[in-house]
Amino acid sequence: MNARTEPQLLGRISNRHLDALEEEAIFILREVAGAFERPTLLFSGGKDSLVLLKCAEKAFGSGRIPYPLLMIDTGHNFREVTDFRDHRAEQLGAELIVRSVEDSMRRGTVRLARPDESRNAHQSVTLLEAIEEFGFDALIGGARRDEEKARAKERIFSHRDSFGQWQPKAQRPELWTLFNTRLHPGEHFRVFPISNWTELDVWQYIEREAIDLPSIYYAHRRQVVERRGLLVPVTDLTQPKAGEEVVTRTVRFRTVGDITCTCPVESPASNASEVVAETLLADVSERGATRMDDKTSDASMEKRKKDGYF
């Protein structure tokens, strides 16, 4: 993006719609607090969960969020993100529960096909174990409908059966913002207060509210290799393959997750305003541009939903 284009784009874009999106999110967060006995907010330290946490802070007040924060850690997360997660939870005085895929591996409930296999898909098992351990009946997440086509048809209050599975025919209509929150024993809901937000909305909100993010969301120099149309970061877990050339690029992450399947994009954007300008020109969703696990098949996300994760 050149210097002439950025001011032109920013001069035409409005963020007045953010008030309505924020109001909807706050209403849903309060609805969960009033309707369920043991809710939790899924908190990874990523940008969407930080936006959600900001809305929760506005809904209830700093130090007064009425449900714990839950993180399902693969053990292969970026250190910048997990450190920021801990810092933000402590800053807000919120209870933080962390459950790890590695714990499930030690219990034998998760078995990898090979040592270098991504643990991302195995979070489903650990999440369902955490739901059983704590008796959670509602899990609040930062998923958005614009991210991926399997998420586009998701309800705001997504019903899950006693096995934690998503059944499309069992989803309840949501007319006039009326949510059916009734549950049978063992069932639970996944709730998505920012379903109607887009990636651009998220970044505009981050800019407006001056929300701090982990540093890897902004431009930095990093060694990468080009693989399957993606820039794969060079780490202890993601080593170059034979014939691949390691290059140093200025990159940022549009989304963060397991190191083994999350890639950066080339970008000079060093602050939220510059990211907003870049996002205006993006023609590929953030998951399509950065997530290797979503490229394994067209049904990758759909399968994860049925397995109980999303």
Side-chain angles (χ1 to χ4, degrees), residues 14-297:
S14 169
N15 65 7
R16 287 179 295 180
H17 66 292
L18 295 179
D19 291 333
L21 291 173
E22 179 189 71
E23 182 181 348
E24 179 185 52
I26 288 174
F27 168 76
I28 292 166
L29 288 163
R30 289 173 175 168
E31 187 78 0
V32 171
F36 297 97
E37 293 184 6
R38 184 59 171 162
T40 185
L41 192 153
L42 296 170
F43 181 62
S44 66
K47 71 179 190 309
D48 296 320
S49 62
L50 284 163
V51 163
L52 198 54
L53 195 60
K54 182 66 175 181
C55 290
E57 185 180 4
K58 288 192 173 188
F60 305 106
S62 181
R64 297 176 60 86
I65 297 175
Y67 23 70
L69 312 181
L70 174 65
M71 164 66 167
I72 304 300
D73 194 338
T74 64
H76 289 166
N77 294 88
F78 290 96
R79 182 64 181 268
E80 297 95 329
V81 179
T82 54
D83 286 349
F84 196 90
R85 172 202 69 193
D86 296 343
H87 164 72
R88 189 71 179 109
E90 182 179 0
Q91 190 180 50
L92 279 180
E95 178 188 358
L96 175 64
I97 299 170
V98 179
R99 289 297 178 266
S100 174
V101 173
E102 293 180 346
D103 294 334
S104 298
M105 291 168 61
R106 283 190 286 270
R107 287 191 291 268
T109 52
V110 167
R111 297 181 182 180
L112 302 183
R114 59 183 191 280
D116 62 345
E117 179 186 359
S118 173
R119 300 174 181 178
N120 208 43
H122 297 290
Q123 291 177 92
S124 304
V125 174
T126 309
L127 177 61
L128 294 175
E129 290 174 343
I131 291 170
E132 183 177 3
E133 177 184 356
F134 294 98
F136 293 131
D137 53 3
L139 287 81
I140 306 165
R144 309 186 321 269
R145 292 190 177 116
D146 76 317
E147 291 180 89
E148 205 270 346
K149 59 187 178 183
R151 292 183 167 180
K153 58 189 176 184
E154 188 64 272
R155 299 284 197 270
I156 292 178
F157 278 69
S158 178
H159 176 262
R160 300 302 172 101
D161 64 20
S162 57
F163 296 99
Q165 295 180 322
W166 179 83
Q167 301 293 347
K169 293 183 179 180
Q171 300 308 304
R172 300 163 182 177
E174 296 179 337
L175 305 175
W176 309 294
T177 321
L178 297 175
F179 304 111
N180 184 341
T181 59
R182 290 175 295 178
L183 289 172
H184 293 295
E187 298 177 342
H188 68 274
F189 274 94
R190 310 287 173 89
V191 183
F192 307 111
I194 62 172
S195 288
N196 294 324
W197 298 44
T198 66
E199 183 184 8
L200 180 59
D201 296 329
V202 166
W203 278 107
Q204 284 186 278
Y205 191 75
I206 289 167
E207 179 187 21
R208 189 183 82 169
E209 301 294 324
I211 298 174
D212 290 332
L213 298 181
S215 60
I216 63 174
Y217 275 109
Y218 298 115
H220 58 283
R221 300 286 285 173
R222 184 179 291 266
Q223 288 189 323
V224 298
V225 296
E226 295 187 18
R227 183 182 304 164
R228 295 168 56 195
L230 299 173
L231 296 179
V232 179
V234 175
T235 69
D236 293 339
L237 299 169
T238 49
Q239 292 289 321
K241 296 181 179 180
E244 291 182 334
E245 179 185 3
V246 178
V247 294
T248 301
R249 301 276 182 83
T250 299
V251 300
R252 68 177 177 88
F253 285 83
R254 288 175 68 182
T255 181
V256 296
D258 192 285
I259 292 173
T260 61
C261 62
T262 307
C263 300
V265 295
E266 200 160 9
S267 168
S270 59
N271 56 54
S273 177
E274 292 175 0
V275 175
V276 167
E278 277 193 0
T279 306
L280 279 166
L281 298 178
D283 56 6
V284 180
S285 74
E286 59 197 280
R287 295 192 72 90
T290 66
R291 297 300 290 267
M292 286 187 285
D293 55 337
D294 291 341
K295 289 181 174 288
T296 56
S297 79

